[in-house]
Amino acid sequence: MSRRFDERKLLTRRAFMIASGQALLGAIVISRLSYLQIFRSKHYKLLSEKNRIVTKLLLPERGKILDCNGNVIAKNIDTFSAVLDLTEVDDLNIVLNKIKEHIVVNDDILFINKRKQKLLLLKENLNWEELAVLETLSSYLPGLSIERTLVRKYIDSEAISHIIGYVGKPTKYDFDTTKNMAFLMPTAQIGKCNIEKKYEYKLFGRSGIRHYEVNARRQIVREIDETKSIPGEDLPLTIDMDLQNFVYKRMSEHESGACVVMNVHTGAILAFVSYPGYDTNLFTKKIDRTTLHELYQNPYKPIINKAISGLYAPGSTFKMITGLAGLKKGIIDENTNFSCNGVFKIGSYKYHCWRWKYGGHGYVDLEDAIAESCDTFFYNVAMRLSADDITDVAKDFGLGLPTGIDLPNEKSGIMPTNAWKKSMRSISWTKGDTINMSIGQGYTLATVMQLTKMIAMLVNGLQPITPYLCKTKQFFKMSPLKYKEEHMRIILNGMNKCVNGKTGTARSSKSLKMPFGGKTGSSQVCRITAQQRKEFKTVSDDYWKKEHALFTGYAPVDSPEYAICVLVEHGGGGATKAAPIARDIFEYIKSRSDLQVV
């Protein structure tokens, strides 16, 4: 009896322990289910939705770029690209090998965005045969998709290369300047330089989103919803493409140079050429290294924007500034004369006038000194001025300062002073420095754009202007500079005589169709040696040692509307090489009754 009781007691204890264990296990399961279904339901629902729903960004159509007449100069063309989402791929090698059986892929292009999701751009610009094959493969290869791509196409690309620039694939450096998620797509293209970069925020637009439902094999079942992308804005420019092409063709008669044509009253740029240009369409797709190397090693520097980034001694085109500085300080007036015999001496140093081998100019006043470009007159003025006197006037007219043009990478140039030389060269300024500066040589450096702005302000009533290329940019009128009217009359008369006078340096380029004025310049790149002077040579036979030819001018003479600056690198004389180009451009403008003056 006792034994049966003990066995029953043991069974009861075991049953209790088993039941307790089951109850505990059940409680654990119930609590876990409660936790998952109540407290973590949103999390797992989201994971489930991610497995069921795929989100794709939709690239917006990039805005077109137009000239002032509404002609399209940068547009978009439809192409298709193959993209592989690496987050959807278990074995990349197997998938790539399968794809390579049908097409040649660019498997070296790996794009990694900020979220560390990897998208592989397999191939761009698919032809119809490749498109058909990949569409079939995408039905059973996870992660493979065909994306519609809009590729930039430039019209007259070489002529506008330094205005428009080009687009390209975003890099890690671009992510610091934008939060637009569409930039993370491997098929996206963003502005890399010039107008394309400057107005990226207008041209790119806003990306859209499309949601798809997919099955367990990640195949698309249906489209759920879509938020459409918003196209970028079309961007009208002040450039007249017919004029632009004419200027580019005219500049192509020389090896290298730059030219800007601008409205003197508003700063609107009608033509902007840096020659040689380059085919910007090369950069909208993957450019091969050989082509890129040829562009960067070209001795005529087609990649450099010579109009705003090339720095040149302005030469005699600077003499109006020195003349104004002398008038402003009261050390000369319209009756001041200096004698020029071709050589100006300070102690043992000799400074030559460009007519040194002809015995100089004789006695000249300021008007004739500008018209005939007499260096000796300005040497005499420089002896009575400081560097700061000249620099102050130069900066009033925009030299040594960015012009503010709506293009990136503009250089400021150099308008030197005593303090500048001490900080840069650790030596003091000399009177010889001022003499060199007075004729636009020495340390003085300017851009073609700055010289165009300078000439515009000299003839527009001293109205400060900011050059611009985007037609919708707002124009602000500022207070005019304060220079005496009689002083400006002397300067303008000198520039008029330069072209239309009997002894002016640009008289051979005089135009009856479009009377214009201006100033020639020859910017030395190296000293004329004593041996060359003995041989009566003023220009080197070596192309790379020849002077830069310059002309800054305006038209019409009586009521100026247009300012121009022409630079022919290593062209020799400004009167023989640069001034004829300006004449031809002004005459072309005169022939265009439909030309818009923005």
Side-chain angles (χ1 to χ4, degrees):
M1 185 75 179
S2 174
R3 185 177 177 182
R4 284 184 181 179
F5 178 79
D6 291 341
E7 287 178 352
R8 189 180 300 161
K9 187 175 181 181
L10 181 60
L11 289 172
T12 302
R13 187 181 302 161
R14 287 177 179 174
F16 175 77
M17 292 177 65
I18 291 172
S20 297
Q22 290 175 334
L24 180 61
L25 184 60
I28 293 172
V29 170
I30 291 171
S31 62
R32 180 60 179 171
L33 288 173
S34 300
Y35 172 75
L36 293 176
Q37 293 183 13
I38 298 173
F39 298 103
R40 298 286 287 171
S41 63
K42 289 184 179 180
H43 171 74
Y44 288 102
K45 183 179 181 181
L46 181 61
L47 291 179
S48 175
E49 288 295 301
K50 283 185 176 181
N51 286 331
R52 186 179 69 90
I53 297 173
V54 171
T55 300
K56 287 193 176 183
L57 289 171
L58 304 176
L59 281 175
E61 181 172 358
R62 193 171 183 84
K64 296 186 290 292
I65 301 177
L66 318 170
D67 81 343
C68 65
N69 299 306
N71 299 312
V72 177
I73 52 182
K75 62 181 181 179
N76 308 300
I77 56 174
D78 272 321
T79 64
F80 292 92
S81 299
V83 177
L84 187 64
D85 187 344
L86 301 184
T87 61
E88 302 269 337
V89 177
D90 294 327
D91 192 321
L92 178 60
N93 289 328
I94 293 176
V95 174
L96 282 179
N97 289 334
K98 187 67 176 176
I99 295 171
K100 286 179 183 179
E101 291 176 6
H102 303 278
I103 65 167
V104 177
V105 301
N106 302 324
D107 55 4
D108 61 323
I109 305 175
L110 185 63
F111 185 96
I112 305 176
N113 69 21
K114 277 187 170 181
R115 293 187 173 185
K116 307 302 181 184
Q117 295 170 323
K118 298 179 180 180
L119 296 173
L120 192 64
L121 182 60
L122 299 175
K123 193 166 187 178
E124 299 175 280
N125 301 314
L126 298 173
N127 59 41
W128 290 112
E129 184 179 346
E130 292 169 331
L131 191 61
V133 169
L134 289 171
E135 281 285 7
T136 303
L137 290 176
S138 65
S139 64
Y140 63 86
L141 284 181
L144 177 63
S145 63
I146 308 301
E147 303 291 341
R148 174 177 175 262
T149 309
L150 291 171
V151 176
R152 206 59 155 171
K153 175 70 175 177
Y154 301 104
I155 314 301
D156 297 319
S157 61
E158 288 191 17
I160 61 170
S161 54
H162 296 97
I163 302 172
I164 304 298
Y166 54 85
V167 296
K169 296 289 186 292
T171 67
K172 62 180 180 180
Y173 303 105
D174 298 311
F175 294 139
D176 296 331
T177 60
T178 180
K179 295 181 180 179
N180 195 326
M181 292 298 292
F183 285 6
L184 305 179
M185 297 179 67
T187 53
Q189 291 188 323
I190 65 170
K192 292 293 185 177
C193 62
N194 301 337
I195 285 292
E196 289 279 27
K197 181 176 181 179
K198 181 70 176 181
Y199 290 101
E200 176 66 27
Y201 68 99
K202 285 189 174 184
L203 292 166
F204 190 85
R206 188 175 296 175
S207 58
I209 296 176
R210 184 179 293 151
H211 293 106
Y212 295 101
E213 183 180 355
V214 296
N215 58 24
R217 297 180 63 185
R218 308 299 290 171
Q219 296 171 330
I220 294 175
V221 175
R222 65 185 178 93
E223 180 183 321
I224 299 175
D225 58 45
E226 177 183 320
T227 303
K228 293 186 179 298
S229 61
I230 300 174
E233 296 179 32
D234 289 347
L235 194 70
L237 302 184
T238 59
I239 295 293
D240 181 285
M241 273 309 296
D242 289 334
L243 176 61
Q244 178 76 11
N245 284 323
F246 179 86
V247 175
Y248 189 81
K249 184 178 180 180
R250 190 64 178 82
M251 291 299 297
S252 70
E253 296 173 20
H254 301 278
E255 284 81 1
S256 179
C259 178
V260 174
V261 182
M262 185 171 69
N263 182 320
V264 302
H265 301 294
T266 65
I269 296 171
L270 305 179
F272 182 101
V273 168
S274 177
Y275 184 82
Y278 58 95
D279 184 1
T280 49
N281 291 308
L282 294 171
F283 289 85
T284 60
K285 50 186 179 244
K286 187 181 179 183
I287 185 170
D288 64 88
R289 292 184 180 181
T290 301
T291 303
L292 194 61
H293 179 78
E294 288 174 355
L295 281 172
Y296 278 96
Q297 295 302 313
N298 188 317
Y300 301 115
K301 309 295 183 186
I303 294 296
I304 300 298
N305 191 335
K306 298 178 180 71
I308 62 169
S309 298
L311 294 178
Y312 307 91
S316 295
T317 63
F318 187 77
K319 288 175 178 175
M320 290 82 73
I321 298 298
T322 305
L324 265 180
L327 292 168
K328 181 181 178 181
K329 295 294 289 186
I331 63 170
I332 58 172
D333 58 29
E334 61 182 339
N335 299 313
T336 302
N337 282 267
F338 292 112
S339 175
C340 170
N341 63 7
V343 180
F344 185 81
K345 294 182 180 179
I346 302 180
S348 60
Y349 289 94
K350 293 181 179 180
Y351 296 89
H352 293 80
C353 179
W354 72 272
R355 280 187 61 88
W356 60 271
K357 63 182 180 180
Y358 305 111
H361 291 88
Y363 280 92
V364 291
D365 59 17
L366 179 54
E367 279 189 17
D368 289 335
I370 292 172
E372 299 174 26
S373 203
C374 177
D375 295 327
T376 302
F377 183 95
F378 296 98
Y379 294 155
N380 278 282
V381 175
M383 291 297 292
R384 296 159 174 79
L385 292 174
S386 68
D388 288 352
D389 292 333
I390 300 174
T391 293
D392 288 346
V393 176
K395 288 192 172 180
D396 277 348
F397 289 88
L399 300 177
L401 301 166
T403 66
I405 185 173
D406 45 346
L407 286 176
N409 304 318
E410 181 187 16
K411 290 191 176 179
S412 301
I414 298 174
M415 282 308 306
T417 61
N418 186 17
W420 176 88
K421 188 179 179 184
K422 278 187 176 180
S423 65
M424 298 299 292
R425 302 298 176 97
S426 300
I427 52 176
S428 297
W429 191 266
T430 67
K431 208 61 188 177
D433 292 328
T434 311
I435 286 175
N436 282 329
M437 182 183 184
S438 71
I439 60 168
Q441 295 285 167
Y443 301 113
T444 308
L445 295 174
T447 66
V448 170
M449 189 71 255
Q450 288 174 330
L451 293 174
T452 311
K453 177 178 178 176
M454 175 197 76
I455 202 76
M457 290 177 62
L458 284 170
V459 302
N460 72 359
L462 301 173
Q463 178 67 52
I465 53 174
T466 300
Y468 66 96
L469 284 159
C470 181
K471 199 172 181 179
T472 58
K473 189 172 181 179
Q474 193 171 359
F475 169 68
F476 295 99
K477 193 168 184 178
M478 294 177 278
S479 300
L481 302 178
K482 295 180 179 179
Y483 285 84
K484 292 182 179 179
E485 186 176 338
E486 58 267 30
H487 293 168
M488 295 309 302
R489 176 179 51 79
I490 297 168
I491 300 298
L492 293 178
N493 285 345
M495 289 193 291
N496 186 5
K497 285 183 178 181
C498 178
V499 179
N500 303 298
K502 293 182 180 179
T503 57
T505 54
R507 62 188 180 277
S508 62
S509 295
K510 180 180 178 179
S511 174
L512 297 177
K513 295 179 182 178
M514 176 69 122
F516 67 99
K519 182 73 192 76
T520 58
S522 299
S523 170
Q524 290 182 353
V525 297
C526 60
R527 287 181 178 274
I528 299 173
T529 65
Q531 181 61 37
Q532 286 174 318
R533 291 195 186 278
K534 285 181 181 179
E535 296 172 359
F536 288 93
K537 289 184 177 180
T538 56
V539 178
S540 174
D541 294 328
D542 183 347
Y543 170 82
W544 298 105
K545 293 181 180 179
K546 286 182 180 179
E547 303 155 315
H548 298 315
L550 285 153
F551 182 82
T552 53
Y554 61 94
V557 167
D558 295 334
S559 181
E561 291 287 340
Y562 310 100
I564 194 171
C565 180
V566 179
L567 163 79
V568 179
E569 283 193 341
H570 306 292
T576 57
K577 297 297 175 65
I581 295 175
R583 176 201 60 211
D584 293 348
I585 293 170
F586 283 141
E587 289 186 348
Y588 174 82
I589 289 173
K590 180 66 175 178
S591 71
R592 286 279 309 281
S593 59
D594 63 327
L595 186 68
Q596 290 190 32
V597 183
V598 185

